[in-house]
Amino acid sequence: MAFMEIRHLKKYFNTAGGVLHAVDDVSLDIEKSQTLGVVGESGCGKSTLGRAIISLSPPTSGQVIFNGQDITKLGKKEFKKMRVNLQMIFQDPYASLDPRMSVSQLIAEPIKTYKLASGKQELEKKVNDLMDVVGLASRLKNSYPHELDGGRRQRIGIARALSVNPDFIVCDEPVSALDVSIQAQVLNLLQDLQKERNLTYMFITHDMSVVKHISDVICVMYLGQVVEKCNAKDLFKRPLHPYSQALLSAIPIPNIHVEKKKIKMKGELTSPIDPKPCCRFAPRCPYAGEKCFLEEPKLEEWEKDHYVMCHKKPEIPSRGEGPAEA
């Protein structure tokens, strides 16, 4: 049994035009101390999946089994006790922080909410320790979010997530709003914390270079569905789904003497509102056949621990010669 089991998870939204299938029948396993990377273009349902898993946005249907317990069936009191184990680091570090609270107040808030400190002295010590862990200078205790740069704000968000000693953290594009040099610092911090505290991450991003650096397993999402899932190294060596191949071919190579073949996707995006039972990537896929427009494919194991949602095996590059290696 996996540490986190997601079974047939769905999250739908009612709109004026119909039902929007933001997350549609997603099943995943996440092992303890593992980082699951979730990639895909904007609007594919990455963030909604993360929110649905920790019930920040309750799923429409499906199961989320955490440590053998289905958290989607818990009552409010039971779930509040479980909540400390499931935390989130948000994409926008400024929007996720109360501008009227100082750094120390922001970090102390979750500790006070869950009554994890016996008194003022212990609370202050916990705040100081957390600031030290995430690399925030003690002189910033009384500063406010608007007085800090993006990197420091994100460190506050990380400290808040860590303050209740969670087991599982959803990292929702935690470095996308940061400069490249600050991105590296935050990524290294997250990896160090994972080793020290035995944390399990779901790391959501659209940056293929970032997900390669931090993930053990990667799943590629397209319009609410997982179209490919495998070991991180295997995805970059041997992408099997046409969409994954196109994503990897877009990664720039810092060498003017190497000409890289890019796969250009043509056609229009399928609407996620009341989608037809067919392959959602078919209108943009160079390999699409008649069956692709009539029947929805299933996520199947094509190679050992390598799952793909596709009717037709496209022309696959030999191992070690994928587009990411060009």
Side-chain angles (χ1 to χ4, degrees):
M1 183 179 289
F3 180 67
M4 174 80 78
E5 298 178 42
I6 298 134
R7 295 288 176 264
H8 306 291
L9 196 70
K10 297 180 181 180
K11 179 61 181 179
Y12 297 165
F13 296 95
N14 292 317
T15 69
V19 180
L20 190 152
H21 294 218
V23 175
D24 207 355
D25 200 20
V26 169
S27 295
L28 296 167
D29 286 339
I30 308 173
E31 300 296 338
K32 180 67 176 171
S33 306
Q34 187 184 72
T35 298
L36 173 72
V38 183
V39 297
E41 58 197 57
S42 297
C44 72
K46 306 185 299 294
S47 296
T48 305
L49 174 63
R51 288 169 176 267
I53 286 172
I54 63 172
S55 289
L56 199 59
S57 179
T60 303
S61 65
Q63 293 179 295
V64 179
I65 301 167
F66 176 71
N67 267 342
Q69 189 173 20
D70 186 355
I71 63 175
T72 61
K73 294 180 179 177
L74 296 178
K76 286 186 178 180
K77 288 186 178 180
E78 293 173 307
F79 186 74
K80 187 177 180 181
K81 293 177 183 178
M82 178 67 74
R83 168 60 73 194
V84 294
N85 297 310
L86 308 167
Q87 293 296 307
M88 189 166 189
I89 300 169
F90 296 92
Q91 179 177 358
D92 187 343
Y94 190 59
S96 63
L97 301 175
D98 189 335
R100 298 167 297 180
M101 298 176 73
S102 67
V103 172
S104 60
Q105 289 172 328
L106 286 164
I107 296 173
E109 185 183 30
I111 301 172
K112 291 163 71 175
T113 300
Y114 288 98
K115 300 177 182 178
L116 300 176
S118 57
K120 189 175 180 181
Q121 191 173 358
E122 186 181 353
L123 177 64
E124 189 174 350
K125 184 179 185 305
K126 281 179 178 284
V127 170
N128 290 337
D129 289 345
L130 282 164
M131 288 184 68
D132 185 52
V133 165
V134 300
L136 283 169
S138 57
R139 60 183 171 81
L140 300 174
K141 281 182 70 173
N142 298 317
S143 299
Y144 290 83
H146 72 273
E147 298 176 310
L148 306 175
D149 59 32
R152 288 191 177 97
R153 290 176 194 155
Q154 196 59 283
R155 289 171 189 268
I156 297 170
I158 295 170
R160 279 170 61 86
L162 293 174
S163 64
V164 292
N165 297 316
D167 294 316
F168 178 77
I169 300 178
V170 175
C171 306
D172 185 11
E173 304 212 32
V175 297
S176 64
L178 307 178
D179 293 336
V180 175
S181 59
I182 305 300
Q183 281 186 14
Q185 293 176 20
V186 173
L187 287 173
N188 290 334
L189 171 63
L190 288 170
Q191 288 182 308
D192 291 342
L193 290 170
Q194 185 176 39
K195 292 176 184 176
E196 292 170 10
R197 299 184 174 224
N198 203 25
L199 296 170
T200 305
Y201 292 149
M202 170 179 274
F203 195 94
I204 298 165
T205 183
H206 61 268
D207 190 325
M208 299 301 290
S209 301
V210 168
V211 82
K212 181 182 181 182
H213 175 72
I214 200 168
S215 303
D216 299 301
V217 175
I218 298 175
C219 69
V220 180
M221 285 192 72
Y222 186 80
L223 289 181
Q225 297 178 321
V226 173
V227 296
E228 185 162 4
K229 177 181 176 288
C230 63
N231 180 278
K233 291 181 180 178
D234 288 344
L235 182 72
F236 281 82
K237 286 183 179 180
R238 191 176 174 85
L240 300 184
H241 195 279
Y243 178 62
S244 305
Q245 292 178 6
L247 284 180
L248 291 173
S249 75
I251 300 174
I253 295 177
N255 189 338
I256 61 172
H257 301 294
V258 176
E259 186 176 347
K260 185 175 182 180
K261 183 181 177 182
K262 291 186 178 180
I263 301 172
K264 295 181 179 179
M265 291 185 288
K266 299 178 181 180
E268 295 294 326
L269 280 166
T270 303
S271 174
I273 297 176
D274 295 323
K276 296 178 181 178
C278 64
C279 175
R280 296 180 190 180
F281 186 62
R284 304 172 75 189
C285 181
Y287 309 104
E290 184 180 354
K291 186 179 182 182
C292 302
F293 292 92
L294 299 174
E295 185 182 326
E296 187 172 84
K298 295 179 181 179
L299 189 67
E300 297 177 324
E301 189 173 21
W302 281 14
E303 296 181 352
K304 182 173 170 49
D305 297 325
H306 197 145
Y307 297 84
V308 185
M309 180 185 279
C310 189
H311 284 307
K312 181 181 178 183
K313 287 191 179 183
E315 190 175 332
I316 300 168
S318 60
R319 189 169 294 276
E321 296 178 4
E325 304 274 331

